[in-house]
Amino acid sequence: SKLIAAVLTMASGQNQPQWRPPVANPAHLMAGFRSPNSDYSSGHRGIDYLVWEQQSILSPSDGTVAFVGVVAGKPVLTIQHSPSLRSALEPVCSSLKVGDRVVTGQIIGSVCGRGYHSHCEPLICLHYSLRSYGRYLSPLVQPEVYRQVC
């Protein structure tokens, strides 16, 4: 499939990026990835980290900013890491613009949770998702691991 081919290409060593959590350690994981049974069924298409207002958010890997804006009332930042691999983080406010290059560990924005209704209320969670060709993957599994499993 395209998904497996893309992950294998990334993990082949030619363009193998470094990956890290988007929050400084120690990061408390509030909710893990739960794969949906279908495109429209329930699941949790990412992971949630416990964060606080104005906490710095870091780029999980090298890439190019693909989107900065609001989706369904939530401030979102999306990074394109390869032609097929894209991550998204919310609620994140950023001064970056579409097309800006980012590197692993670079501060890319901050948590801006005021007015945002988190499913972790009364706490704030950073939702971090990873997609390849529109399919959601667990951000906890490094791309090189997908090569070993497939």
Side-chain angles (χ1 to χ4, degrees):
S1 82
K2 285 183 181 179
L3 170 63
I4 293 170
V7 174
L8 289 175
T9 299
M10 271 194 74
S12 68
Q14 295 173 339
N15 292 326
Q16 189 170 354
Q18 298 295 312
W19 287 84
R20 57 151 294 128
V23 290
N25 289 330
H28 181 74
L29 189 64
M30 295 289 288
F33 181 82
R34 288 187 316 277
S35 183
N37 292 330
S38 71
D39 289 343
Y40 303 104
S41 64
S42 64
H44 189 240
R45 293 164 174 84
I47 58 176
D48 293 335
Y49 288 108
L50 179 63
V51 292
W52 60 88
E53 187 72 27
Q54 297 303 311
Q55 180 175 351
S56 293
I57 301 303
L58 311 172
S59 178
S61 190
D62 295 353
T64 303
V65 175
F67 178 81
V68 180
V70 177
V71 176
K74 303 170 194 170
V76 177
L77 176 81
T78 302
I79 302 170
Q80 190 77 42
H81 301 285
S82 73
S84 64
L85 201 60
R86 180 179 280 215
S87 64
L89 302 129
E90 63 182 64
V92 174
C93 293
S94 178
S95 61
L96 294 173
K97 307 284 184 240
V98 171
D100 286 350
R101 296 277 307 147
V102 297
V103 296
T104 305
Q106 173 185 337
I107 295 175
I108 55 174
S110 63
V111 174
C112 51
R114 289 204 177 115
Y116 166 71
H117 296 289
S118 168
H119 53 271
C120 296
E121 284 183 323
L123 305 172
I124 301 173
C125 287
L126 173 75
H127 183 78
Y128 169 37
S129 65
L130 184 65
R131 290 176 290 172
S132 180
Y133 292 109
R135 293 191 54 194
Y136 286 91
L137 307 172
S138 172
L140 293 177
V141 177
Q142 299 293 310
E144 56 270 15
V145 173
Y146 285 108
R147 175 182 62 160
Q148 296 169 6
V149 173
C150 297

